[in-house]
Structure formats: structure tokens, C-alpha cells
């Protein structure tokens, strides 16, 4: 049993079998085995060799006519598989050294290499490479390594362990088949983590080397509350975590039970709490968790999953469904934010060296006007069916808004002349996620009906921290005095111009920050639906006057460490212990 710690990406406890995916390279997992397990290990080894043999034979039979003559290479690989120095030697080593098949293969390979090391002949050297290839194939087979996410063959739910899961992979994850996941890459604000939280799937990310530490089919525990993973848990750990899982589920039920209570502080400050969503399947979760509407509907999904570009009518019917099912609540539809770590299969973007600073979001849309037009038409048409608000991502200054509004005006005229219904008074919002948007918030506020602060990107761009790079994610600091000042500046500029200011970045749904955001005077918080009940609970236990005094105090501090210490102290003294909020205070992991 091994206990490993990383970043808590999505709360909950998952206990199940590993489904290993996408390992960066095949590393040898070395395990000693008990004498009584030797026959089983030899059998496992033989089975893996047979499967590779079958695969190679199949490949030979499928070779196109023009390259059939090269089948000799594959035939020689089959021979190598059964070579005495590889096959017999490995079986012998499993028995005499009591090691697992992978380790035995590596030892056998070391001997072969030593034997051939003094030979300079290039033909022999190439054969050595062939043997290495065959050995690696068997190792991968033994480790059960897959390279793409295909869950069709599994008949029981699994825990995915992967080097990385692309947002597109995550979109294919269904709750029935996936109990949880662990990845080597990623941070709390990578889209994969955001989606895991939306779907309520426990996840731990940024766990270095996890793909080399477990095998497909082995038991594993994912503790998404503590950011902890237990590989091959013993009976006691299994018992302990089953209890914790039960407790957590009971806690969630209780929290959800109160989710429709209003988000009002003890001194009567009313703040709107809404949900971020991306998939139609999330609608029941959004409603059940007490959202007062959708503060951020990410629209990348349809562009990321289908093989062809979605048409205006397809977009319209998807948006209409969301709007109608959430009626009478408002739905804020954000226009396409493709680029960065969200790549679309349907859009052929040039590969960029620095995609986060590249042709992303509004820049991309203003560049690809045809695509943008289709989406704007679809959103406007959906506005005839409920309370729709429009939100533009990655705006950096007024000129983009001037272009956007000109285009929007043209499209409205077009729709009118076609006799299509829409709401001409639709509210227009700007995401504040680029530092220059903060600095010109007074100007931008005159171009919009509301602001929504996107802290995921605002922090990335202001602190120069790549939000998907786990190597720098410890530097990603929402409580940096510079970040706090930017939030305050945005709220104040918006309010001076008489518009509402909300926040839809992940920061809005983190318990520790809730009193600070209340104290900043935000009008709306939008977050993954799972976080709504606990956020509302914290709001109901808060006094807004006291929170604004806390904010004045924090804004006078000169380091993130000082701010964090004070924020944690405030939290501990004002809110009773709670399953989802105390753990992260202890470990300091969940708040990244
Ligand atoms: C943000 O940047 O905070 C945000 C909400 O948008 P996204 O995470 O989709 O970039
Ligand atoms: Mg963003």
C-alpha cells in the first residue's frame, strides 16, 4: 500500500479498480512476489506474450499487398517473443528471483544488452533494437496500458489513471463508468478538473509518476477532499475509506437538502449564486443544487466533440433546450472561448507556440467572423425562449467591444428582416480576465450591462502562471495582493458606472474565499454546481459588514502569505467545521 499526495481537484471518495491510460513511457513496475504467487505470475506473463503474438499475427494478415514482403520483420518479432533469451529466461527469473513479469523481462533484457554491448556490427545492433521493441510491447501489455480513452470494453466502473486527460477525453467520461480519476498533469483550474467538479466525479491531479505506480485492475482509492491517492490499499484502509465515503455521501445529501435556502448574510446582504455549466446533462445537477440561474454557460463543447462544425440550427436547438429547461432562471451564454487548453476538433487552428497568449476566444471569433455570426445568431434566436444574457470572453479593451457590438447590431437587423424572434434588449456582459480589462474597467463598464470576473485567466495572465502547468501551479495565488486589488478595482469601477459585477472563475466556489468576495461587494458568484450548497451555507453564516472590514485589512497587507494566514484564521473562527471546508484548511491543497 502506498499513500500519495497531490492536488484535490474534485471532492468525494472513489474506491475501485485502476484503468491505466496513456502512460508517457513504459516504465518497469518492479514488484517482489510471494513464492505461492509464482505460478500465477508465470501464467500472467505467458498470457501477455500470447496476446502480443496474436496481435502481430493479425497485423501480418492485414498488411496491404504492396508491403506484404516486409512481413518478415513482424515474423522475426514473433520469433523473438519466444526466443530463449527473452521468453525462457524471463520465466526462469520469475521463479528463481520471485519478481513480477515486467521486472523479469527487464533483467533478461539487461543480460542481452550486456552480451551484445561489445559487438559493433550494425545489423546485430538493429536486432537488439527489435528485441527492445518486443520486450516493451510485452511490458505494456502486462501493465494493461492503453493509449486512448476507450471504455467500451469495461463492464464495471473504473478509476482512470492517466498522464493527462484532455478536456475532450473528459467530456466522454460518464458517471456510470468512471468512479474517479487521477492524472499526472493538471491543476485545479485546468478544464479537465473543472469538468470533474461539474460532473461530481472525485479527482486528484498533478500526481507525478502515478502511471508508473499502479497497474490496470489493481485497487486504488481517490480522496478528492484531501488530494490523496492510496495505491493497493490494505483491508484497514479500504474499511476506513468506505466509512469516509458513506459519511461524505450523507453530508452531501444534507447540504443539498438546504440548497434552496437563500444566499443572504446575517445582516441582509443578498448575493446571487449561480452555476457554471457546459453540458446539457448537468442541468439536473444545476437545479438540484439550488442555483439561481446559470452565470456561465461555456459553449465550447459542441465544437470540441463533433466531427464537423456545428450549424446555426444545431447550436440554436442546444441553447434553446438549456434556456427552456432552466426557465424562469437566467442563462448567461458565453461566446466561443476556443484556444488555450481547449482545442476543437472541428476548427483547424494553426499550432501555436504559446496558445494561452494566442488566437483565443474573442480574438479568434473576430478573426473567424462566419463562425462567430452563426453562434451569435443562434444565441439571439434562443433569447426568444427565456432570460438569456450574452457574455464575451477575453476582452482586453474597448475596441473589441466596439467591433462586437457593431456585428451584433448587424445580426439583429438581419434577424428582424427575416422575421425571426429575439430579445433586442438582451443584456451584454464582458468577462474581466485580462489585466488591461481591469485597468480600463471604467471605460468597459460603459460598453456593457454587467461584468463577470474570470479569475482562472485573470490570475494566469497577471501572475504569468500557466494554469495547466503543474510545475508552476503552486505559484498560482488568488490571494496575491495584486489579484485582490484587481478584483476590488473591477467591482468599484463597475459599481460607479451602475452595472453589476459577478465572478465566474473557480475562485468563486472555494470556501476560503467566500467571505472575501462578500466583503468585496460582488453582486453574483457563479461556480460549479456542486459547490453551490456549501457556498450558500457559508454566505448564510456571514456578516457582510464584517467581511468588508476583513477585506480592508487584507488590502493593506503586502504578501500573499500574510493574506492567506489571516483569511484562514478568519475562516476558522467564523465558520463551524465542515467536511468539505476543514480538510483543505488542514492540508492547504484544495485552495490552489
Ligand atoms: C475564467 O477564466 O475564470 C473562466 C471562468 O473562464 P474559463 O475557465 O472557461 O477560461
Ligand atoms: Mg477564461
Amino acid at each position: 500500500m502506498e499513500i500519495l499526495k497531490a492536488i484535490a481537484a474534485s471532492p468525494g471518495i472513489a474506491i475501485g479498480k485502476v484503468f491505466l491510460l496513456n502512460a508517457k513511457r513504459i516504465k518497469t513496475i518492479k514488484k517482489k512476489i510471494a513464492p505461492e504467487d509464482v505460478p500465477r505470475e508465470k501464467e500472467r506473463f505467458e498470457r501477455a506474450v500470447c496476446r502480443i503474438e496474436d496481435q502481430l499475427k493479425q497485423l501480418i494478415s492485414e498488411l496491404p499487398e504492396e508491403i506484404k514482403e516486409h512481413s518478415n520483420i513482424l515474423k522475426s518479432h514473433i520469433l523473438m517473443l519466444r526466443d530463449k533469451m527473452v521468453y525462457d529466461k524471463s520465466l526462469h527469473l520469475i521463479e528463481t528471483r520471485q519478481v513480477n513479469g515486467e521486472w523479469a523481462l527487464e533483467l533478461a533484457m539487461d543480460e542481452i544488452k550486456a552480451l551484445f554491448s561489445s559487438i559493433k556490427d550494425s545489423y546485430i545492433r538493429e536486432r537488439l533494437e527489435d528485441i527492445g521493441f518486443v520486450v516493451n510491447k510485452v511490458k505494456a501489455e502486462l501493465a494493461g496500458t492503453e493509449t486512448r480513452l476507450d471504455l467500451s470494453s469495461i463492464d464495471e466502473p473504473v478509476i482512470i489513471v492517466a498522464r493527462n486527460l484532455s478536456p475532450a477525453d473528459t467530456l466522454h467520461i460518464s458517471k456510470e463508468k468512471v468512479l474517479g480519476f487521477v492524472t499526472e498533469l493538471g491543476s485545479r483550474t485546468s478544464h479537465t478538473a473543472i469538468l470533474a467538479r461539474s460532473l461530481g466525479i472525485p479527482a486528484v491531479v498533478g500526481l507525478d509518476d502515478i502511471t508508473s505506480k499502479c497497474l490496470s485492475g489493481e485497487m486504488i482509492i481517490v480522496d478528492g477532499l484531501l488530494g490523496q491517492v492510496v495505491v493497493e490499499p490494505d483491508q484497514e484502509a479500504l474499511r476506513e475509506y468506505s466509512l469516509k465515503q458513506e459519511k461524505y455521501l450523507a453530508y452531501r445529501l444534507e447540504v443539498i437538502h438546504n440548497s434552496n435556502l437563500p444566499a443572504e448574510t446575517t445582516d441582509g446582504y443578498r448575493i446571487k449564486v449561480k452555476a457554471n455549466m457546459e453540458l446539457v446533462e448537468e442541468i439536473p445537477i444545476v437545479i438540484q443544487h439550488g442555483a439561481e440561474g446559470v452565470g456561465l454557460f461555456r459553449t465550447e463543447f459542441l465544437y470540441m466533440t463533433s466531427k464537423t462544425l456545428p450549424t446555426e440550427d444545431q447550436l440554436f436547438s442546444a441553447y434553446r433546450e438549456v434556456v427552456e429547461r432552466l426557465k424562469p432562471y437566467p442563462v448567461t451564454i458565453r461566446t466561443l472561448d476556443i484556444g488555450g487548453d481547449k482545442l476543437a476538433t472541428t476548427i483547424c487552428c494553426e499550432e501555436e507556440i504559446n496558445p494561452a497568449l494566442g488566437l483565443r476566444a474573442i480574438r479568434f471569433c473576430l478573426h473567424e467572423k462566419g463562425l462567430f455570426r452563426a453562434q451569435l445568431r443562434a444565441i439571439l434566436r434562443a433569447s426568444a425562449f427565456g432570460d438569456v444574457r450574452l457574455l464575451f470572453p477575453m476582452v482586453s479593451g474597448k475596441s473589441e467591444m466596439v467591433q462586437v457590438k457593431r456585428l451584433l447590431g448587424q445580426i439583429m437587423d438581419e434577424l428582424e428582416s427575416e422575421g425571426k424572434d429575439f430579445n433586442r434588449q438582451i443584456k451584454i456582459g464582458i468577462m474581466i480576465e485580462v489585466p488591461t480589462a481591469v485597468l480600463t474597467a471604467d471605460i468597459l463598464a460603459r460598453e456593457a450591462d454587467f461584468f463577470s470576473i474570470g479569475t482562472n485567466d485573470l490570475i494566469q495572465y497577471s501572475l504569468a502562471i500557466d494554469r495547466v502547468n503543474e510545475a508552476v501551479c503552486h505559484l498560482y495565488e488568488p490571494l496575491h495582493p495584486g489579484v485582490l486589488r484587481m478584483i476590488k478595482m473591477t467591482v468599484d469601477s463597475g459599481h460607479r458606472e451602475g452595472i453589476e459585477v459577478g465572478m465566474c472563475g473557480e475562485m468563486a466556489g472555494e470556501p476560503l474565499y467566500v467571505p472575501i468576495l462578500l466583503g468585496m461587494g460582488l453582486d453574483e458568484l457563479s461556480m460549479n454546481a456542486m459547490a453551490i450548497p456549501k457556498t450558500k451555507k457559508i454566505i448564510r453564516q456571514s456578516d457582510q459588514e464584517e467581511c468588508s472590514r476583513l477585506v480592508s485589512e487584507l488590502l493593506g497587507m503586502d504578501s500573499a502569505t500574510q493574506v492567506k494566514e489571516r483569511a484562514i484564521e478568519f475562516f476558522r473562527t467564523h465558520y463551524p467545521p465542515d467536511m468539505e471546508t476543514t480538510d483543505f484548511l488542514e492540508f492547504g491543497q484544495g485552495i490552489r
Side-chain angles (χ1 to χ4, degrees):
M1 176 170 110
E2 198 175 359
I3 301 176
L4 306 158
K5 278 211 174 87
I7 300 166
S10 177
I13 310 287
I15 305 172
K17 288 189 181 154
V18 171
F19 182 88
L20 193 62
L21 178 84
N22 181 21
K24 56 186 158 186
R25 58 187 170 272
I26 302 138
K27 274 199 187 163
T28 308
I29 296 153
K30 296 176 177 174
K31 283 191 178 169
K32 277 287 207 185
I33 50 169
E36 63 272 22
D37 289 336
V38 165
R40 200 149 31 106
E41 188 60 17
K42 284 169 87 174
E43 212 183 294
R44 191 173 79 91
F45 179 79
E46 276 170 30
R47 265 204 313 273
V49 171
C50 285
R51 276 197 296 270
I52 298 297
E53 206 168 38
D54 288 348
Q55 280 175 22
L56 290 170
K57 283 182 187 158
Q58 171 101 8
L59 260 177
I60 294 172
S61 70
E62 287 168 358
L63 278 183
E65 262 328 296
E66 14 0 318
I67 51 169
K68 266 256 177 324
E69 57 185 285
H70 299 297
S71 64
N72 279 345
I73 302 170
L74 297 176
K75 285 180 188 155
S76 71
H77 283 172
I78 294 178
L79 290 177
M80 283 172 197
L81 261 180
R82 296 288 179 180
D83 187 279
K84 261 201 197 137
M85 286 198 297
V86 178
Y87 181 75
D88 294 352
K89 182 79 192 180
S90 298
L91 285 173
H92 178 70
L93 286 166
I94 293 173
E95 185 153 339
T96 53
R97 305 273 284 267
Q98 287 166 16
V99 292
N100 62 343
E102 293 90 319
W103 197 353
L105 262 173
E106 181 153 304
L107 292 171
M109 191 66 204
D110 287 347
E111 277 192 27
I112 297 169
K113 278 189 201 153
L115 210 65
F116 283 75
S117 64
S118 55
I119 302 174
K120 296 272 178 294
D121 184 295
S122 62
Y123 178 81
I124 304 277
R125 293 224 140 264
E126 275 168 32
R127 297 296 68 75
L128 194 59
E129 272 175 34
D130 282 336
I131 299 175
F133 166 79
V134 167
V135 163
N136 270 343
K137 268 194 101 54
V138 181
K139 272 196 205 165
E141 183 65 29
L142 281 167
T145 305
E146 290 282 342
T147 48
R148 84 206 122 83
L149 184 55
D150 177 7
L151 299 174
S152 54
S153 59
I154 59 156
D155 42 23
E156 62 178 332
V158 290
I159 292 176
I160 297 177
V161 175
R163 165 88 176 138
N164 195 12
L165 279 175
S166 68
D169 276 339
T170 323
L171 291 171
H172 287 117
I173 285 178
S174 73
K175 269 182 106 168
E176 294 83 65
K177 286 205 159 178
V178 180
L179 300 167
F181 66 77
V182 189
T183 59
E184 294 184 355
L185 301 186
S187 69
R188 263 184 84 76
T189 50
S190 54
H191 285 93
T192 304
I194 292 172
L195 216 58
R197 287 197 286 281
S198 298
L199 295 168
I201 297 174
V204 170
V205 300
L207 185 50
D208 202 24
D209 239 12
I210 182 66
T211 56
S212 330
K213 292 191 172 132
C214 52
L215 297 171
S216 276
E218 266 180 8
M219 282 305 282
I220 193 168
I221 296 172
V222 180
D223 181 342
L225 293 160
L226 289 188
Q228 213 159 262
V229 167
V230 188
V231 179
E232 285 199 283
D234 59 22
Q235 285 308 317
E236 204 186 316
L238 281 172
R239 242 191 329 272
E240 186 192 317
Y241 275 94
S242 302
L243 267 175
K244 189 169 177 185
Q245 189 179 43
E246 259 174 49
K247 246 172 84 182
Y248 180 71
L249 293 175
Y251 157 86
R252 288 288 321 164
L253 275 181
E254 190 214 306
V255 166
I256 290 171
H257 184 69
N258 294 323
S259 62
N260 280 318
L261 293 175
E264 189 170 317
T265 61
T266 49
D267 55 342
Y269 182 81
R270 190 79 171 77
I271 184 165
K272 290 182 207 109
V273 179
K274 296 186 183 169
N276 292 352
M277 63 168 277
E278 183 156 13
L279 313 174
V280 173
E281 293 84 77
E282 290 174 71
I283 293 174
I285 303 182
V286 167
I287 295 170
Q288 188 192 39
H289 285 68
E292 300 167 271
V294 171
L296 171 63
F297 177 39
R298 290 186 169 94
T299 57
E300 291 75 48
F301 173 68
L302 284 175
Y303 297 83
M304 285 168 79
T305 48
S306 60
K307 289 204 171 64
T308 52
L309 211 57
T311 63
E312 177 189 321
D313 281 342
Q314 282 168 338
L315 294 171
F316 164 63
S317 60
Y319 301 157
R320 180 180 165 171
E321 182 182 350
V322 174
V323 170
E324 285 191 320
R325 284 177 62 186
L326 281 158
K327 233 169 167 169
Y329 293 118
V331 178
T332 306
I333 305 182
R334 181 180 71 182
T335 59
L336 187 62
D337 183 4
I338 220 77
D341 70 330
K342 293 171 283 191
L343 294 176
T345 45
T346 51
I347 301 169
C348 176
C349 308
E350 293 285 321
E351 206 170 294
E352 296 177 307
I353 292 178
N354 207 340
L357 303 180
L359 199 59
R360 221 196 117 171
I362 198 71
R363 307 166 184 180
F364 175 80
C365 287
L366 288 171
H367 188 259
E368 295 288 333
K369 290 248 177 58
L371 181 145
F372 195 26
R373 270 179 168 278
Q375 188 182 32
L376 289 173
R377 282 177 59 97
I379 298 173
L380 283 173
R381 285 170 61 197
S383 72
F385 296 87
D387 187 356
V388 174
R389 297 158 36 124
L390 245 176
L391 182 60
F392 296 100
M394 287 274 293
V395 172
S396 62
K398 180 175 164 174
S399 68
E400 281 150 343
M401 282 315 290
V402 171
Q403 292 179 66
V404 162
K405 283 163 86 177
R406 192 183 309 130
L407 186 64
L408 203 60
Q410 286 168 6
I411 294 174
M412 284 180 171
D413 293 346
E414 233 170 68
L415 288 173
E416 204 161 73
S417 63
E418 290 167 24
K420 297 214 159 75
D421 284 342
F422 66 96
N423 173 16
R424 206 175 247 281
Q425 265 62 56
I426 190 167
K427 295 257 183 291
I428 293 174
I430 298 177
M431 282 202 70
I432 304 292
E433 48 185 350
V434 176
T436 50
V438 175
L439 294 168
T440 56
D442 54 333
I443 302 167
L444 288 176
R446 286 172 227 135
E447 303 298 324
D449 300 301
F450 65 97
F451 281 159
S452 188
I453 306 176
T455 46
N456 304 343
D457 279 315
L458 184 59
I459 298 169
Q460 151 164 276
Y461 294 128
S462 52
L463 283 173
I465 303 291
D466 182 350
R467 64 192 264 193
V468 292
N469 181 347
E470 77 289 354
V472 287
C473 75
H474 62 287
L475 302 171
Y476 188 95
E477 186 44 87
L479 295 182
H480 190 290
V483 174
L484 294 186
R485 286 181 196 194
M486 282 197 274
I487 297 171
K488 188 77 173 95
M489 264 183 83
T490 308
V491 174
D492 291 348
S493 300
H495 284 175
R496 264 196 299 273
E497 294 299 325
I499 67 167
E500 289 195 347
V501 183
M503 178 179 284
C504 63
E506 289 304 298
M507 189 176 178
E510 298 284 358
L512 180 67
Y513 308 140
V514 174
I516 303 173
L517 303 179
L518 277 172
M520 291 272 184
L522 280 150
D523 304 292
E524 174 178 313
L525 298 178
S526 191
M527 62 201 68
N528 70 83
M530 302 283 284
I532 291 176
K534 69 171 184 241
T535 305
K536 279 183 152 184
K537 199 168 154 198
I538 295 167
I539 293 169
R540 286 195 298 274
Q541 291 164 347
S542 305
D543 178 295
Q544 204 261 344
E545 285 281 326
E546 201 179 358
C547 293
S548 45
R549 281 197 296 279
L550 169 72
V551 167
S552 310
E553 201 186 321
L554 299 182
L555 286 170
M557 293 179 170
D558 51 18
S559 76
T561 318
Q562 220 184 343
V563 174
K564 199 188 252 169
E565 269 171 21
R566 177 65 182 113
I568 290 178
E569 187 202 8
F570 186 90
F571 202 92
R572 278 197 206 290
T573 49
H574 287 75
Y575 306 95
D578 175 279
M579 232 181 148
E580 277 182 284
T581 55
T582 31
D583 282 345
F584 79 85
L585 288 177
E586 298 300 332
F587 288 85
Q589 289 288 358
I591 47 180
R592 269 188 215 139

